[in-house]
Amino acid sequence: MTVADNNGVSLTENGSDAAARQFTGTLPTVTVTDTRLPEEIPAGRFWAVVGQSSQFTATDDSAKTIGPEYLGWKPRLLSGSSTGAVSAGEPVSSVISDGTGAPTVGLEVQELLASIANSTDEIGTSQVNADLALRTPVDVAAGEYHSTLTLSLFNQS
């Protein structure tokens, strides 16, 4: 798994309303390459990429924070899936609903970015990214905040 070169993702205010301030951006392209031969993959194996955010901390005052539950995403498969076995994860909204009906849990715990149902069904390279949306209370303290979004690739059965 690789993540496209980037200098971090900057979120810009976009779509704020009376319920929340919203800041949006795009996760850099994540590439998963499986170079194994079908006969090298045990039956029933699949891979999954999950992500989880850390707390956002203000650069000027570490006491000012925004919890990871306020960051949501909408994963998007960028590469075609010849068999349909590779798919993007489901959208997750901030705990302040974005109105789409997505679960309002944020990225406080690991959420699915992309997966394959059965690794032997499709071997090669898959690419995915996600639209990010940080939806905070309207009275969130102004400032520059930083967080780390950790992605993990698992090969499971």
Side-chain angles (χ1 to χ4, degrees):
M1 176 178 78
T2 59
V3 178
D5 286 341
N6 67 85
N7 293 320
V9 175
S10 293
L11 302 177
T12 56
E13 191 159 6
N14 177 18
S16 295
D17 55 31
R21 291 186 69 191
Q22 179 170 284
F23 304 85
T24 61
T26 304
L27 181 72
T29 299
V30 176
T31 302
V32 176
T33 303
D34 192 341
T35 59
R36 299 173 293 179
L37 298 173
E39 58 270 14
E40 296 174 329
I41 302 171
R45 289 284 182 169
F46 66 93
W47 58 257
V49 177
V50 297
Q52 180 176 2
S53 179
S54 68
Q55 181 168 271
F56 288 79
T57 304
T59 56
D60 63 345
D61 179 359
S62 62
K64 292 191 313 190
T65 62
I66 300 170
E69 69 273 16
Y70 291 102
L71 180 65
W73 69 10
K74 182 179 179 184
R76 186 176 42 232
L77 188 63
L78 300 176
S79 57
S81 175
S82 61
T83 65
V86 180
S87 60
E90 295 295 322
V92 173
S93 175
S94 161
V95 293
I96 301 174
S97 177
D98 60 10
T100 64
T104 53
V105 294
L107 295 176
E108 184 171 23
V109 298
Q110 291 181 344
E111 295 293 339
L112 183 65
L113 179 65
S115 66
I116 188 165
N118 184 341
S119 292
T120 59
D121 288 345
E122 193 166 329
I123 299 198
T125 299
S126 300
Q127 293 186 313
V128 64
N129 70 4
D131 294 327
L132 301 172
L134 179 67
R135 288 182 58 81
T136 68
V138 293
D139 61 351
V140 69
E144 183 177 322
Y145 291 78
H146 293 268
S147 172
T148 300
L149 180 59
T150 302
L151 299 175
S152 302
L153 171 64
F154 295 100
N155 184 33
Q156 302 175 317
S157 58

